[in-house]
Amino acid sequence: MKKSLLALLVSSVFVMSGCEDGKMTQTVLEAEKQIVHLGTELKNAQSELAKKEAEVNELSGVKAENEKLKAELEKAQQNTALQVEIVKIFDKKEVIKHQVDPKEEFAIEESTVSSFVSLPKTNFDWLNQLLINQAYDYNEEAGRKLKNLTEEEFKKHYEEVYQGLVGSVKSEPVIGYDEHISSTFIGQRNNIATFLMTHYTYTGGAHGMHFTQYINVDLDKKAVIGLNDLISQKNQAQLKEMLWEIHSRERVDENGNYNGLGNQKEFRVSEQFYFTSSGIVFVYPPYELGAYAEGDTEVEADWHSINKLLNPDYQRGEKDGLFAEELEN
């Protein structure tokens, strides 16, 4: 009996031990399968990551190539010769009849209203925008200022100006109203292109008034060259003395006396100027230095006199055919 019980106990131990070993083996197999699965997923993830990195590198290369091409295109555009065409963008004129009392001897029976605009159009979009801005900024009234008008918006603006003139002449008859902008391309020297816009206004009376606007554009900087860009404020006092001396020497009567309008105290350096092969011409409107019938007054400072006063960007040198010994003599 005891032997049978002992045998049974021993047998039970082996059975239990076998069961535990089976479970252990199964657990190990499951773990191994999981490791293999994770290894496969890791390889797949690494492969996908490598693919994404290749795509990113490819895109970076494309972006870099695009930036390079863009830079080359901009450089090519800068080296492209400037092409200019003067384009009429607005032209309207009408005669307005007025009902008058026959007894009024000097009644105005009709009025003429006209508006005309021509602008330079170039092969550079940014320059076209700059020129539209210049034309608009000069003519625009305070409080209605817009930014970067398109050509169509500028036409719409001038239509409003024109209708305003028509309304004014109908309510208060005068001989006529004119509002004109006439443009011209003067020329180019290296990176400087110069345009001229003549603004003419007539509101009745003996004659109209005109203003000549010179627009000097630095093609490299894509900006208008203002007086302070041309010459520093500290040098403008010396330039003022130089220009007055030139002007007063040229404007004398038969007795050698100055016969222009204004005086040295009132004289200023004009913000309207243009470049020539011999110097820089500063332009003054009618009535400032001379009578209306004389038109604009021009005072030219030669390169020998003015060059050293200019800011370095706009001084002339050997590339312009002006050598040091010529400036010193």
Side-chain angles (χ1 to χ4, degrees), residues 82-85 87 119-136 148-151 154 195 197 217 219:
L82 179 63
Q83 300 172 24
V84 182
E85 177 186 2
V87 178
L119 292 178
K121 183 165 287 189
T122 76
N123 49 326
F124 296 107
D125 291 339
W126 67 266
L127 183 52
N128 295 335
Q129 183 65 69
L130 181 150
L131 293 168
I132 290 175
N133 290 346
Q134 289 292 306
Y136 175 76
N148 294 327
L149 280 78
T150 64
E151 184 176 310
F154 189 76
F195 301 86
M197 290 185 186
V217 182
L219 299 176

Side-chain angles (χ1 to χ4, degrees), residues 32-246:
E32 287 178 347
K33 287 181 180 179
Q34 188 66 20
I35 290 171
V36 171
H37 178 70
L38 291 174
T40 301
E41 287 189 345
L42 178 60
K43 288 181 179 179
N44 291 337
Q46 289 174 334
S47 176
E48 188 66 24
L49 178 61
K51 183 180 179 181
K52 293 296 183 184
E53 287 178 345
E55 290 177 354
V56 169
N57 290 334
E58 183 179 355
L59 289 174
S60 298
V62 170
K63 183 178 180 181
E65 185 65 23
N66 286 341
E67 291 296 329
K68 181 180 178 181
L69 291 173
K70 183 179 178 181
E72 290 176 352
L73 177 60
E74 289 180 351
K75 185 176 180 180
Q77 287 178 331
Q78 289 176 353
N79 293 329
T80 300
L82 179 63
Q83 300 172 24
V84 182
E85 177 186 2
I86 304 302
V87 178
K88 179 172 62 178
I89 69 167
F90 193 91
D91 187 12
K92 278 195 173 184
K93 182 178 181 179
E94 63 182 292
V95 176
I96 299 169
K97 304 289 185 179
H98 303 292
Q99 291 184 348
V100 298
D101 186 343
K103 297 179 181 179
E104 292 186 28
E105 184 179 357
F106 301 105
I108 297 174
E109 297 182 356
E110 63 180 33
S111 304
T112 301
V113 178
S114 69
S115 186
F116 174 87
V117 180
S118 67
L119 292 178
K121 183 165 287 189
T122 76
N123 49 326
F124 296 107
D125 291 339
W126 67 266
L127 183 52
N128 295 335
Q129 183 65 69
L130 181 150
L131 293 168
I132 290 175
N133 290 346
Q134 289 292 306
Y136 175 76
D137 288 346
Y138 174 80
N139 285 271
E140 184 53 358
E141 299 174 2
R144 293 175 53 201
K145 201 171 186 65
L146 301 175
K147 296 292 184 182
N148 294 327
L149 280 78
T150 64
E151 184 176 310
E152 287 304 314
E153 288 171 333
F154 189 76
K155 290 179 182 178
K156 181 180 178 181
H157 162 70
Y158 242 80
E159 177 65 35
E160 293 175 355
V161 170
Y162 179 78
Q163 294 304 329
L165 296 178
V166 171
S168 295
V169 83
K170 285 182 177 179
S171 60
E172 297 183 16
V174 294
I175 295 175
Y177 277 130
D178 297 326
E179 188 72 39
H180 298 172
I181 301 178
S182 300
S183 299
T184 306
F185 175 52
I186 294 181
Q188 179 181 354
R189 177 179 68 84
N190 295 330
N191 61 309
I192 300 173
T194 302
F195 301 86
L196 172 110
M197 290 185 186
T198 301
H199 304 263
Y200 174 79
T201 302
Y202 177 71
T203 56
H207 58 74
M209 286 295 296
H210 80 269
F211 177 76
T212 306
Q213 179 186 14
Y214 289 89
I215 305 167
N216 299 287
V217 182
D218 188 321
L219 299 176
D220 291 340
K221 297 179 181 179
K222 298 182 178 181
V224 173
I225 305 170
L227 180 60
N228 291 336
D229 302 310
L230 177 71
I231 182 169
S232 65
Q233 291 184 341
K234 68 178 182 179
N235 287 340
Q236 288 178 27
Q238 187 174 346
L239 176 60
K240 177 182 173 181
E241 292 180 6
M242 179 193 303
L243 293 176
W244 172 256
E245 195 278 328
I246 295 170

